């Protein structure tokens, strides 16, 4: 049986980041990937998808952006090619098309069983992410079979949906961007909101994420009780107000569905819009304070038309939508994802809900998680965050070996 210092599960940006650091530290390791490099990016993104983070921040350890569009945004295909090139260039030991079936502890380490056999390891790094299994609310099962239902990760393009109006449930980055695309493609769109924050695409002459990184605000913990992804546009700022002004019918949070084909909403639209406004204003104030504190010569803030436009919210608010009579043929549930760790059978690594237990990447002895959305910092779950986490994990493994 082959034995490794470290087995890494998953060859996305997180797994490749830690593999790079393990290679530098001369650890004998292997990266096991169920499909191809960047598999999730190949199978769970729509055709027009682009990265939310600008090119200058979408770099893996050991690399730096040297292109001509530092504040541009890579397409999904370009990002996949970046990952493949990275693995080849650094000669990272990726074993593709190998699904891990079980990870269990034995006296001296771990057994990692996969479709290619079983190997032993002193340490295991889990880099499969916690955003790969769709969450769809139970109420979806109440809707009649005549309504076409998919999760946001299954959306590819407007033309792939049946003709007719579309209801998008969820107003984080996925829901907002899909709703905008469908509207631009001429579809009538209903967007059901939640309590999501919002951030501007650009502010005071720079991309928002560049300000967050430069000021290190992205290292701050995520605000408590704000687990939903923020509403952010790729091409420009997206707001509930601007979407409504362009023709999207914005409604409150879905509370129920009926067998006759109705969606029922809470009267929460005003609160959702106010919360998004307050979130955007709050991060702008922090960036302003950073600019003043550091004496940075940045242009004054201009009014963002997407944030200052007058909304066209339904008045009175829509609390019930009859999908059939209103011509809604499809419902897209942009309601989040979770991780699948059913194959991880090591005590102390997952909770009663099957989700990771870790503190700053460290789980049960010898087990590490990387690339998860977490409350540790606002950069968690990003390429930039994984670079930091990878170095931290390998430093810890080195310390344990010493």
């Amino acid at each position: 049986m082959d034995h490794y210092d470290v087995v890494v599960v998953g060859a996305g940006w997180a797994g490749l980041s830690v593999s790079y650091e393990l290679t530098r530290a001369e650890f004998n390791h292997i990266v096991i990937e169920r499909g191809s490099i960047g598999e999730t990016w190949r199978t769970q993104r729509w055709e027009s998808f682009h990265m939310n983070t600008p090119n200058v921040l979408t770099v893996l350890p050991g690399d730096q952006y040297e292109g001509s569009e530092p504040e541009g945004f890579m397409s999904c295909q370009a990002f996949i090619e970046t990952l493949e090139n990275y693995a080849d260039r650094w000669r990272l030991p990726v074993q593709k098309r190998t699904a891990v079936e079980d990870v269990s502890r034995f006296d001296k380490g771990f057994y990692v069983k996969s479709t290619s056999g079983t190997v032993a390891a002193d340490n295991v790094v889990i880099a499969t992410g916690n955003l790969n299994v769709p969450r769809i609310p139970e109420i979806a099962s109440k809707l009649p079979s005549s309504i076409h239902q998919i999760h946001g990760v299954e959306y590819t393009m407007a033309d792939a949906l049946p003709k007719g109006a579309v209801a998008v449930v969820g107003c984080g980055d996925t829901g907002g961007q899909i709703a905008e695309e469908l509207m631009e493609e001429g579809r009538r769109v209903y967007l059901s909101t939640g309590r999501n924050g919002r951030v501007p695409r650009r502010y005071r002459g720079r991309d928002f994420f560049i300000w967050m990184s430069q000021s290190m605000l992205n290292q701050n913990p995520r605000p408590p009780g704000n687990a939903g992804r923020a509403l952010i546009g790729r091409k420009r700022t997206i707001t509930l107000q601007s979407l409504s002004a362009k023709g999207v019918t914005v409604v409150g949070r879905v509370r129920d569905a009926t067998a006759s084909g109705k969606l029922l909403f809470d009267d929460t639209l005003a609160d959702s819009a106010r919360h998004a406004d307050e979130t955007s204003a709050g991060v702008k104030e922090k960036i302003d304070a950073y600019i003043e504190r550091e004496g940075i010569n940045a242009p004054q803030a201009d009014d963002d038309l997407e944030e200052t436009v007058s909304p066209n919210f339904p008045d009175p608010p829509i609390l019930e939508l009859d999908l059939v009579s209103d011509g809604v043929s499809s419902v897209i549930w942009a309601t989040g994802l979770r991780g699948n760790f059913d194959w991880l059978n090591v005590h102390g690594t997952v909770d009663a809900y099957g989700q990771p237990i870790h503190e700053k990447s460290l789980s049960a002895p010898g087990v590490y998680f990387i690339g998860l959305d977490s409350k540790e910092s606002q950069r968690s779950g990003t390429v930039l965050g994984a670079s930091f986490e990878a170095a931290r994990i390998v430093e810890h493994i080195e310390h344990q070996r010493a």
Side-chain angles (χ1 to χ4, degrees), residues 324-372:
V324 177
S325 64
D326 284 295
V328 178
S329 61
S330 304
V331 176
I332 300 176
W333 299 95
T335 44
L337 303 107
R338 63 176 178 82
N340 178 9
F341 303 96
D342 293 346
W343 43 269
L344 182 55
N345 295 301
V346 178
H347 179 73
T349 57
V350 295
D351 61 20
Y353 301 97
Q355 297 306 292
I357 299 171
H358 72 101
E359 182 69 27
K360 296 183 176 179
S361 302
L362 311 181
S363 188
V367 179
Y368 304 83
F369 288 95
I370 183 172
L372 304 180

Side-chain angles (χ1 to χ4, degrees), residues 168-399:
V168 179
V169 180
C171 67
D173 53 357
T174 296
Q177 291 182 26
I178 289 176
E180 181 183 50
E181 175 169 300
L182 289 169
M183 177 267 299
E184 291 176 345
E185 291 294 322
R187 293 295 185 109
R188 185 156 53 92
V189 181
Y190 295 86
L191 176 63
S192 173
T193 66
R195 192 173 172 80
N196 295 75
R198 186 187 76 239
V199 294
R201 181 66 273 175
R202 294 185 62 80
Y203 184 64
R204 298 192 66 174
R206 292 183 185 175
D207 185 87
F208 166 78
F209 282 112
I210 293 178
W211 280 125
M212 290 292 287
S213 179
Q214 183 177 330
S215 65
M216 294 188 290
L217 287 170
N218 65 351
Q219 298 183 33
N220 292 342
R222 293 184 188 275
N226 186 29
R229 290 232 169 184
L231 176 60
I232 183 168
R234 178 182 64 83
K235 295 178 285 188
R236 55 183 172 270
T237 302
I238 295 179
T239 69
L240 299 178
Q241 292 89 333
S242 66
L243 287 172
S244 72
K246 294 172 183 176
V248 174
T249 302
V250 187
V251 298
R253 183 192 296 271
V254 167
R255 66 176 177 84
D256 207 349
T258 71
S260 62
K262 292 182 179 180
L263 288 177
L264 309 180
F265 308 103
D266 288 330
D267 186 6
T268 53
L269 173 55
D271 178 68
S272 295
R274 181 168 53 252
H275 177 71
D277 291 344
E278 291 171 352
T279 303
S280 180
V283 295
K284 288 177 181 178
E285 287 178 4
K286 291 177 181 178
I287 292 171
D288 288 339
Y290 166 73
I291 290 171
E292 182 176 354
R293 184 171 63 249
E294 299 297 321
I296 297 172
N297 182 22
Q300 292 300 308
D302 293 326
D303 287 339
D304 190 324
L305 296 180
E306 305 294 317
E307 294 191 304
T308 57
V309 66
S310 296
N312 185 25
F313 294 152
D315 186 17
I318 295 175
L319 302 181
E320 180 179 297
L321 178 63
D322 189 321
L323 301 179
V324 177
S325 64
D326 284 295
V328 178
S329 61
S330 304
V331 176
I332 300 176
W333 299 95
T335 44
L337 303 107
R338 63 176 178 82
N340 178 9
F341 303 96
D342 293 346
W343 43 269
L344 182 55
N345 295 301
V346 178
H347 179 73
T349 57
V350 295
D351 61 20
Y353 301 97
Q355 297 306 292
I357 299 171
H358 72 101
E359 182 69 27
K360 296 183 176 179
S361 302
L362 311 181
S363 188
V367 179
Y368 304 83
F369 288 95
I370 183 172
L372 304 180
D373 272 3
S374 75
K375 295 189 179 300
E376 177 191 346
S377 74
Q378 295 180 42
R379 69 182 175 186
S380 66
T382 68
V383 176
L384 198 63
S387 297
F388 168 77
E389 293 167 14
R392 179 174 63 188
I393 288 170
V394 174
E395 181 181 358
H396 189 270
I397 295 174
E398 285 186 302
H399 179 73

